Amino acid sequence: MAKFLPKIALPKWMGTSYDLVSVWRNVDVVLLIAVFLQSVIGTLTVYSATRQRLINQGFDQYVYVQRQVLFVIVGAVITFIVMAVGHDWIRERAVFWFISTSLLLVLVLVYGAVTRGARLAFDLGPISLQPAELMKVAVLILIAAYTADAAYDKIDYHQFSVSLLILGFPVLLILLQPDLGSATVVVAGVAGVLLMAGAKRRYIALISGLTIVSAVAVALAGVVDRYQLRRIDAFLNQDSTEKDLQQIVLQVRFAKRAVASGGFFGKGYLQGPLTNGAFIPVQFSDFPFSAIGEQFGMIGGFVVLAIFGVILWRLWMISRLARTRFDQLLISGVFSLMLFQIFQNIGMTLGLTPVSGLPLPFISYGGSHLVSSAMMVGLAQSIYMRRLR
Amino acid sequence: MSMQNNESVPKRLLALGIVALVLFGALGTRMWFLQAVGSRDVEEVIGKVRTRTIKLLPERGRIFDSGGRVMADNKRTLVVTIDRDVVRKPAERLALAQRLSGPLNVPVEVLLVRMQDERYGPFESIPLREDVSEEAALFLMERVEDYPGIFVREEWRRNYPYGALAGHVLGYLGAILKGNLAYYKSVGYDPNERVGQYGVEETYETALRGEPGFVRYEVDAVGNILRLIERVEPIAGNDLQLSIDLKVQQFAEQALETQLLVRRRIEAGQVKLPDGTLDPQYAEVNYYKAPAGSVVVMNHNSGRVVAMASYPRFDIRWFGGGLPKDKFSQLFPQTDDPDLSILVNRAISGRYNVGSSFKPLVAYAALNSGQLPEGAKYTFDDRGTYKLQSIPDDRCQQGVKCVFRNSICRATGAPCRYGAVDVEAALAVSSDTFFYKIGEQILTERGYAPVLENEVRQFGLGSPTNIDLPYEYAGTIPSKELKKRLADIGAISQESGKAYYVGDQVLFSIGQGLLSATPIQMAQAYSAIANGGRLYEPRVAVALLAPGTLDARPGFVDFGTTEVVKRLVSIKPSRRINMTTAIREPIVKGMARVITGPGVNFDYYHKTTGENIFRGYDYAKLPIAGKTGTAQGLNNLPWNDSSAFGAFSLDSSQPYTAFAYLEKAGYGSQAAAPVVKCIFSALAGNYRYDEVLPADPLDKASFDVAPTSSLRNPLCLVGGSSDVRE
């Protein structure tokens, strides 16, 4: 295949043209196809979950899906850029990414647009940017880079503390937004890195404990909006009839019903009454799995789960085959982060986990999370491509 | 740095992989359970949630009298309702109430209360205002965007054009009572529907109601209608034709009420001590209280009730809804005094001692059971008192009551003496001693078997007539079992409840004591005598008609435009009683003599009990036979006497039987007989009925539960009365 590729003169930092072509030969095609399939499913889902409510509101029914297609294309471009520039180049600037994203996180606390009591994103006119999504990647890169320098399996107290600091700063900023969901995802990703890096079990326990303690402390301090706490309350009392919890309880109840009513084969595309009836608030970003379940049934649900399985399996393999310690740690982080986010999002749709505003990777509507997922896929591909070098 | 030589790496990676497998396993399992296991239950719930079903209530069947007068009608009204979803939040509720207050013309506070009415389920819409004008409804419907969740529903409101007329028969609608909720739900009613709660409205509830229809829309979460899924039109309820003739009904109510009002102005007899002076225990002058009464007129060849009046009356329209509680309790006071209770149809629920009007049935029992060997020819020498034969003299001296008397004759101041009387004469002058003797012998000579009880039970006494009206009283017939039951509930003493004595039997034989019956039972029994032994179940309704009977002119329907769906009057009698001419003739003759005379000659001429009052009656035009009865009231005081009278026509072209009962109003011949006399005069065509006119609009400020309804010409009530308390 390589011989059909044109020989192009490339900038120096991209390596020699020969390098590039030979490297591209090693792209993980399975991962690429899986991500592509998931994005297609996501786009279709976003359309089905937004069509009727846009019509009801008198808008163009394609508004969201058009933008989603655009986001997917942007994501694809970003994936290829990351693959092209290579993870080493990115690693060298780990601190820079981290600091600049942190800066964005601070800025969003001041200038962010308020949605449902939280400042999650910059409102940039046609698009909005969620710095927390970028921070997911930045933290993983920095922590992986930092711990990769430590002797294997010998993460000492000092390194662990520094890791915690690196993690703690953005997590605190994210909690202040407040966005409990993103904070836990970041923690999950970092936990994966630290686990792979050889942190002792008690460190892992400590980090988990600290997360819980700080989350509780933040909650008690009143920093976290009561809404976030109600989500947990609603999770523990899924059949509650309490008025405060109604909105969340009903959201989850309808999501569960949507999935359940799909049965084996689903109602058919665009035929889901609960989806069409807009019964589930922000279904297209937070509960896309309910739309899939209702329209495509258990078959569709398992296909989506299976594709996620393939993606995670590839990430796991890439981590296994990684050439350097940084590579391995980074991909472990990506793996953990993705795993947690998928589990959390589908779990809340099925009533297994509390509601959080986490998007379902590759599927949910939204630019920021697609971009950050694309970056992670790009990093994984880059590591895979260059594993033999 | 190479890692291939490090053994622990795969282990940790393996751990991550296992975590992933576990989490995915959890998701997969959960999904399996939701979709494969739970999916069927959920389907139903979703059906409810995503669609919105609005019940279309059918038009209730109308009710007509026998001549096609519309007695119960429906008025179409518009009801504005709101979805519970849009008023769940207090702020939104308030905002909406403020916006709706103007168009609906209801204060904001009232709207807020209605919006939170807990009687309606989460998916039911809540009515905010009934009787909305078309303009207001249009105004709201055109601004759906401004009034989310608002709906205008068409409903039917019951309308009773004649107000109080035949109120006890018609009945009224009301909310479903808690005790009946389960039943009504099981037959497909909504808990907030109004159902018949009295009269034929209750009896024929399910037929009158019809079948509700519905419209089902697909809606989104906000309640916006996306499309119409299904519309099933409601089926109007069956119309109901009554056997009641409002002309006669109105006349009966007027005669009854007029007579009661008259009797209230009459002084009752005085109570004297043995030395002839007045008993100082009581006031010198006592007027009859005459608080209540009833009269039934039925066709004795079919059981159709032509008129059924019960006083006090009430205007059914008070139950139209929206009456404040305190106003309601002022109109219909909760009382333990049976004289005052209004919501009792005394014609079917009155627990009455019927006195001597019961004697024809005892006469029948004696003749039919062969107790009188010579039958009609049997005579008994009535000397004013009767001493029980079955009780030894020594026991009588010990205080057991052995001697029973006739009523006092004013001429002699002593118990009347009628001399030798046969069955016919005994009925005509109402000789008690004759019936005392029959009563005693039919018991003692038959080995104390309940012969009399069984004979009178044939006429339906002691069991409900199964008339098509609710709350019928079954009546009681004296027996050992009855006494025991009464003693058990403490109505009579344990001592008295031990056994059934001859004393009980002789009281029973003149219709006193523990015997109780309703006017409708007595009318049924008299009918059986009148028609030669056929017992018909009385009916106030004739037939269920196909829905949508058309009007011939305002207020009248044309029965030719409908068809009978179900006949409610059976052509066959429910029972045939042995009534040979030998049995029937002396009874009928005796009863005819009550009306026409002659009485008997002994000492002097004794008139029959009805001879005086019926003197002016046009017997030739409509011959009748009847019997008076006076029921002793509390402490046997004169002013507590209740008056009974029953009669039947002897003209087969006018086969009517009437029975009247006026509580605490005097002798049978004084109070009840004139009412029955008036009715037969009218049936004979000797009275020009008042036109039956729709009632005036209900005056909600009034405290009259019903307007007075009196005879235009009360002359028919007038006439001499008997001086015998029979």
Side-chain angles (χ1 to χ4, degrees):
Chain A
M1 184 178 147
K3 60 184 168 197
F4 300 113
L5 284 169
K7 285 220 166 190
I8 325 156
L10 289 160
K12 202 177 167 216
W13 55 266
M14 278 194 174
T16 67
S17 49
Y18 173 78
D19 274 355
L20 193 65
V21 171
S22 65
V23 161
W24 282 104
R25 204 160 41 193
N26 291 322
V27 163
D28 188 339
V29 183
V30 177
L31 176 60
L32 219 51
I33 291 173
V35 168
F36 174 74
L37 277 180
Q38 211 69 318
S39 307
V40 171
I41 292 174
T43 310
L44 292 174
T45 305
V46 165
Y47 175 63
S48 71
T50 54
R51 185 183 69 108
Q52 189 62 50
R53 75 181 77 193
L54 285 172
I55 293 173
N56 291 350
Q57 291 164 356
F59 295 117
D60 176 10
Q61 66 189 80
Y62 299 108
V63 173
Y64 280 94
V65 74
Q66 279 167 354
R67 297 177 64 175
Q68 180 75 353
V69 169
L70 187 72
F71 294 146
V72 169
I73 292 169
V74 169
V77 170
I78 286 176
T79 308
F80 282 96
I81 290 175
V82 171
M83 284 163 74
V85 299
H87 55 283
D88 286 331
W89 185 85
I90 291 169
R91 176 193 177 175
E92 282 158 23
R93 288 152 187 86
V95 178
F96 169 73
W97 306 128
F98 183 77
I99 290 176
S100 45
T101 334
S102 298
L103 214 62
L104 283 176
L105 272 177
V106 174
L107 285 176
V108 85
L109 285 177
V110 186
Y111 299 110
V114 179
T115 39
R116 276 188 287 169
R119 287 179 191 274
L120 302 178
F122 294 109
D123 190 355
L124 304 176
I127 57 159
S128 62
L129 178 72
Q130 287 189 30
E133 287 293 343
L134 300 179
M135 184 47 100
K136 286 177 186 171
V137 190
V139 165
L140 286 185
I141 295 168
L142 186 62
I143 299 252
Y146 178 72
T147 46
D149 294 339
Y152 184 76
D153 217 5
K154 292 277 177 344
I155 290 218
D156 59 22
Y157 183 70
H158 172 73
Q159 285 162 327
F160 184 71
S161 313
V162 174
S163 301
L164 275 193
L165 277 179
I166 297 171
L167 170 66
F169 180 61
V171 164
L172 185 68
L173 288 175
I174 294 172
L175 279 177
L176 284 175
Q177 290 187 343
D179 184 356
L180 226 52
S182 294
T184 51
V185 168
V186 172
V187 171
V190 170
V193 175
L194 290 178
L195 180 78
M196 276 310 290
K200 293 191 176 98
R201 276 197 205 100
R202 63 167 188 266
Y203 290 170
I204 301 287
L206 183 68
I207 193 173
S208 319
L210 274 179
T211 312
I212 293 167
V213 168
S214 58
V216 170
V218 168
L220 289 182
V223 179
V224 177
D225 180 68
R226 275 193 48 76
Y227 187 77
Q228 307 272 338
L229 296 178
R230 266 185 246 139
R231 286 172 156 174
I232 292 164
D233 201 351
F235 169 67
L236 296 174
N237 306 293
Q238 292 195 19
D239 293 320
S240 167
T241 53
E242 205 179 308
K243 280 184 182 156
D244 273 7
L245 303 181
Q246 274 306 295
Q247 202 186 345
I248 310 162
V249 167
L250 286 178
Q251 189 179 25
V252 175
R253 192 175 298 162
F254 284 130
K256 279 194 287 190
R257 274 185 197 159
V259 173
S261 69
F264 277 95
F265 301 104
K267 302 262 177 190
Y269 188 54
L270 299 181
Q271 304 298 317
L274 288 172
T275 302
N276 289 342
F279 279 90
I280 306 149
V282 290
Q283 186 181 23
F284 51 99
S285 61
D286 288 5
F287 289 89
F289 197 74
S290 65
I292 294 169
E294 190 182 26
Q295 299 175 82
F296 304 113
M298 189 186 294
I299 305 284
F302 276 124
V303 165
V304 169
L305 273 187
I307 297 175
F308 275 130
V310 168
I311 292 172
L312 288 173
W313 166 60
R314 289 318 300 168
L315 289 175
W316 190 81
M317 286 304 290
I318 292 169
S319 176
R320 229 183 82 126
L321 299 173
R323 187 169 56 89
T324 68
R325 190 158 148 73
F326 166 79
D327 296 358
Q328 185 173 53
L329 294 180
L330 180 61
I331 295 311
S332 306
V334 169
F335 176 89
S336 312
L337 189 145
M338 284 271 180
L339 171 64
F340 182 81
Q341 192 164 338
I342 293 164
F343 176 73
Q344 165 60 22
N345 180 286
I346 297 182
M348 80 184 186
T349 304
L350 304 179
L352 272 181
T353 53
V355 174
S356 62
L358 281 180
L360 186 57
F362 312 115
I363 289 186
S364 284
Y365 171 81
S368 299
H369 92 90
L370 277 179
V371 166
S372 77
S373 299
M375 284 174 176
M376 288 188 261
V377 171
L379 285 169
Q381 287 287 16
S382 170
I383 286 164
Y384 187 75
M385 282 156 65
R386 297 178 172 88
R387 71 188 189 278
L388 300 173
R389 200 165 59 182
Chain B
M1 174 162 74
S2 177
M3 306 180 325
Q4 264 64 25
N5 54 1
N6 204 316
E7 285 300 311
S8 66
V9 174
K11 243 192 218 163
R12 288 181 179 252
L13 247 185
L14 208 62
L16 266 184
I18 289 169
V19 169
L21 284 178
V22 167
L23 293 185
F24 264 63
L27 290 182
T29 318
R30 176 71 175 164
M31 207 166 73
W32 171 273
F33 269 98
L34 269 180
Q35 291 185 311
V37 184
S39 121
R40 209 158 299 149
D41 313 337
V42 146
E43 197 58 18
E44 201 181 324
V45 182
I46 289 178
K48 269 188 199 151
V49 171
R50 57 173 256 256
T51 62
R52 172 173 159 137
T53 307
I54 296 162
K55 212 166 199 175
L56 300 174
L57 290 177
E59 183 179 354
R60 194 174 173 86
R62 299 196 292 169
I63 302 175
F64 319 120
D65 86 337
S66 61
R69 287 184 188 84
V70 181
M71 297 170 72
D73 208 345
N74 305 296
K75 211 175 82 191
R76 178 174 166 272
T77 70
L78 296 175
V79 180
V80 171
T81 67
I82 193 158
D83 281 0
R84 191 169 286 276
D85 271 350
V86 298
V87 292
R88 214 161 288 231
K89 290 181 186 151
E92 289 167 17
R93 187 159 59 226
L94 182 65
L96 209 50
Q98 283 165 342
R99 244 179 299 152
L100 280 168
S101 173
L104 291 184
N105 196 16
V106 178
V108 177
E109 309 81 65
V110 178
L111 280 180
L112 283 176
V113 171
R114 290 185 189 164
M115 283 173 178
Q116 294 171 79
D117 195 328
E118 293 298 326
R119 281 179 300 168
Y120 302 96
F123 298 113
E124 275 182 287
S125 42
I126 310 164
L128 289 182
R129 159 105 208 250
E130 295 184 347
D131 257 332
V132 183
S133 68
E134 298 268 353
E135 297 80 56
L138 264 178
F139 175 88
L140 291 173
M141 291 318 284
E142 281 168 0
R143 292 163 181 77
V144 174
E145 275 78 30
D146 300 340
Y147 299 101
I150 282 285
F151 248 77
V152 179
R153 191 165 74 191
E154 196 177 68
E155 274 187 11
W156 297 96
R157 182 75 83 64
R158 204 57 156 169
N159 179 31
Y160 301 102
Y162 297 106
L165 190 56
H168 285 286
V169 175
L170 260 182
Y172 47 79
L173 302 183
I176 297 175
L177 301 173
K178 242 180 212 156
N180 300 334
L181 192 59
Y183 162 73
Y184 278 119
K185 271 189 174 166
S186 74
V187 290
Y189 279 66
D190 272 352
N192 55 333
E193 263 179 69
R194 284 166 72 80
V195 295
Q197 278 200 341
Y198 192 63
V200 289
E201 290 274 31
E202 175 172 346
T203 312
Y204 297 104
E205 165 58 37
T206 47
L208 288 167
R209 177 206 186 214
E211 284 293 324
F214 59 86
V215 233
R216 188 170 288 151
Y217 296 108
E218 189 171 307
V219 294
D220 63 12
V222 193
N224 293 318
I225 291 178
L226 302 180
R227 67 184 179 93
L228 176 86
I229 299 173
E230 202 179 0
R231 185 182 171 103
V232 174
E233 292 301 328
I235 303 167
N238 289 117
D239 290 336
L240 184 67
Q241 183 189 359
L242 301 187
S243 55
I244 300 287
D245 181 342
L246 277 192
K247 268 194 333 274
V248 184
Q249 173 75 25
Q250 174 173 276
F251 181 81
E253 289 186 22
Q254 289 171 339
L256 177 66
E257 183 163 355
T258 309
Q259 176 69 343
L260 284 167
L261 297 184
V262 167
R263 293 305 294 173
R264 286 176 199 173
R265 318 200 61 164
I266 307 280
E267 283 179 37
Q270 292 165 324
V271 181
K272 289 182 177 158
L273 293 173
D275 61 1
T277 58
L278 285 181
D279 189 337
Q281 209 182 327
Y282 304 105
E284 205 171 314
V285 177
N286 286 289
Y287 292 97
Y288 287 109
K289 201 175 166 194
S294 63
V295 51
V296 177
V297 183
M298 66 188 263
N299 180 322
H300 57 230
N301 281 342
S302 64
R304 298 178 188 210
V305 175
V306 178
M308 178 183 276
S310 176
Y311 184 92
R313 314 187 311 151
F314 64 97
D315 196 316
I316 330 174
R317 295 172 298 178
W318 288 119
F319 292 87
L323 197 63
K325 241 185 198 153
D326 50 337
K327 171 86 182 178
F328 185 86
S329 53
Q330 269 172 315
L331 286 165
F332 299 93
Q334 287 273 321
T335 170
D336 290 332
D337 185 351
D339 288 354
L340 298 179
S341 48
I342 296 167
L343 293 177
V344 176
N345 183 353
R346 288 169 160 78
I348 59 164
S349 310
R351 306 172 175 218
Y352 294 142
N353 248 183
V354 290
S356 301
S357 64
F358 182 65
K359 282 174 184 164
L361 305 182
V362 181
Y364 171 85
L367 293 166
N368 186 47
S369 66
Q371 183 58 38
L372 305 179
E374 308 100 308
K377 293 193 189 85
Y378 166 86
T379 57
F380 169 73
D381 193 14
D382 178 349
R383 291 304 171 108
T385 57
Y386 178 73
K387 184 179 171 299
L388 296 182
Q389 305 292 299
S390 56
I391 297 182
D393 286 349
D394 56 325
R395 292 213 50 207
C396 292
Q397 277 148 19
Q398 285 163 15
V400 175
K401 185 173 180 189
C402 291
V403 178
F404 290 82
R405 280 176 239 279
N406 276 352
S407 310
I408 306 294
C409 264
R410 212 172 288 167
T412 56
C416 295
R417 290 142 49 97
Y418 300 116
V421 286
D422 54 9
V423 172
E424 188 186 312
L427 284 170
V429 295
S430 204
S431 157
D432 285 342
T433 49
F434 179 90
F435 288 99
Y436 291 146
K437 178 173 169 60
I438 292 178
E440 183 186 20
Q441 285 182 349
I442 210 169
L443 184 72
T444 55
E445 292 178 5
R446 303 296 182 97
Y448 290 84
V451 177
L452 183 56
E453 179 188 346
N454 292 340
E455 289 290 340
V456 301
R457 273 192 190 278
Q458 288 196 77
F459 287 90
L461 276 90
S463 53
T465 63
N466 294 329
I467 190 174
D468 47 352
L469 288 171
Y471 311 114
E472 189 188 0
Y473 174 62
T476 52
I477 294 184
S479 68
K480 199 175 167 182
E481 293 73 38
L482 176 69
K483 289 194 77 181
K484 189 175 174 327
R485 211 171 68 224
L486 290 175
D488 285 346
I489 61 168
I492 59 175
S493 71
Q494 283 293 339
E495 180 62 30
S496 151
K498 263 185 194 159
Y500 183 71
Y501 303 108
V502 182
D504 295 319
Q505 173 84 357
V506 296
L507 284 178
F508 175 22
S509 65
I510 62 158
Q512 309 279 3
L514 297 178
L515 176 77
S516 67
T518 62
I520 191 72
Q521 281 179 323
M522 290 306 293
Q524 186 189 31
Y526 271 37
S527 292
I529 298 172
N531 65 30
R534 301 193 308 267
L535 200 73
Y536 289 100
E537 282 190 356
R539 285 279 177 276
V540 292
V542 179
L544 283 172
L545 309 173
T549 311
L550 298 178
D551 287 5
R553 55 196 157 96
F556 279 83
V557 292
D558 178 359
F559 286 125
T561 62
T562 184
E563 53 186 299
V564 171
V565 173
K566 189 183 173 193
R567 287 200 178 281
L568 302 168
V569 179
S570 149
I571 302 161
K572 280 190 195 158
S574 61
R575 188 185 299 158
R576 279 177 189 277
I577 303 167
N578 177 37
M579 187 81 72
T580 57
T581 315
I583 295 172
R584 182 173 176 267
E585 214 172 59
I587 298 173
V588 174
K589 272 188 175 169
M591 290 173 78
R593 268 172 71 182
V594 170
I595 310 293
T596 59
V600 295
N601 263 307
F602 188 81
D603 299 342
Y604 60 97
Y605 177 70
H606 294 271
K607 283 179 179 148
T608 65
T609 51
E611 212 177 324
N612 272 338
I613 185 70
F614 280 92
R615 192 172 295 142
Y617 178 72
D618 194 350
Y619 189 84
K621 201 161 185 190
L622 183 56
I624 56 171
K627 182 73 194 81
T628 54
T630 306
Q632 297 160 7
L634 187 66
N635 296 334
N636 203 6
L637 295 167
W639 49 89
N640 283 339
D641 281 345
S642 289
S643 175
F645 189 84
F648 49 84
S649 148
L650 299 173
D651 178 351
S652 57
S653 68
Q654 297 241 66
Y656 297 112
T657 295
F659 195 92
Y661 196 95
L662 280 72
E663 296 175 28
K664 298 179 187 171
Y667 301 168
S669 57
Q670 292 173 328
V675 174
V676 173
K677 178 187 159 204
C678 281
I679 285 170
F680 277 105
S681 298
L683 289 172
N686 289 337
Y687 188 96
R688 194 167 47 80
Y689 291 114
D690 284 354
E691 212 181 320
V692 181
L693 294 172
D696 294 332
L698 184 65
D699 176 9
K700 294 225 167 175
S702 156
F703 284 94
D704 279 337
V705 71
T708 311
S709 160
S710 45
L711 283 179
R712 172 172 41 82
N713 175 7
L715 266 180
C716 65
L717 290 169
V718 183
S721 71
S722 162
D723 57 354
V724 184
R725 187 188 177 195
E726 286 294 347

